[in-house]
Amino acid sequence: MRIKKTKATSLSCAAFLGGTLFTPLHAWAAQAGAIAGSAMPVHIPAQSMGSALDALGQQTHTMVVYTPDAVKNLQAHAVNGVFTPHDALTQLLAGSNLESIEKPGGGLIIKKK
């Protein structure tokens, strides 16, 4: 089956993609900003720093951005308890020579000191 490409088809596809791909991202970003200061359960085992940062982002619904070079060969300590995303991140980064920058939209950027 072939779909004939028309202006209406293109507009419908753009509206569909805009509604399904981009709206959740905006909603997620707003949610991340809203909960950035909320304490929540965090359970991250000791593991590579990159994996631990990914787990933190997933568990706290916070965007955590880092480069592979920044976390290369680093191990994170286990973090278990009820923390704000910022406090959990402080625990993960302890002794790592990494620091975080909090973005106004709720995201965290990890970089070498």
Side-chain angles (χ1 to χ4, degrees):
M1 180 175 139
R2 283 185 83 192
I3 297 174
K4 185 177 178 183
K5 185 176 179 182
T6 65
K7 186 175 183 177
T9 304
S10 296
L11 290 174
S12 296
C13 289
F16 174 76
L17 290 174
T20 59
L21 293 178
F22 300 110
T23 301
L25 179 60
H26 294 298
W28 180 83
Q31 179 185 20
I35 66 167
S38 301
M40 60 193 68
V42 176
H43 303 288
I44 302 171
Q47 58 188 304
S48 70
M49 185 63 73
S51 295
L53 291 170
D54 292 343
L56 176 70
Q58 291 173 349
Q59 291 183 29
T60 63
H61 308 286
T62 302
M63 185 180 298
V64 181
V65 179
Y66 59 89
T67 63
D69 183 57
V71 300
K72 186 178 179 179
N73 299 322
L74 294 178
Q75 289 295 116
H77 303 286
V79 176
N80 288 296
V82 178
F83 299 95
T84 64
H86 175 74
D87 291 342
L89 181 62
T90 299
Q91 296 287 319
L92 284 178
L93 298 183
S96 69
N97 201 34
L98 295 175
E99 62 183 355
S100 66
I101 300 169
E102 293 186 44
K103 300 308 282 181
L108 298 165
I109 297 174
I110 311 304
K111 64 179 197 125
K112 291 181 180 181
K113 291 182 183 177

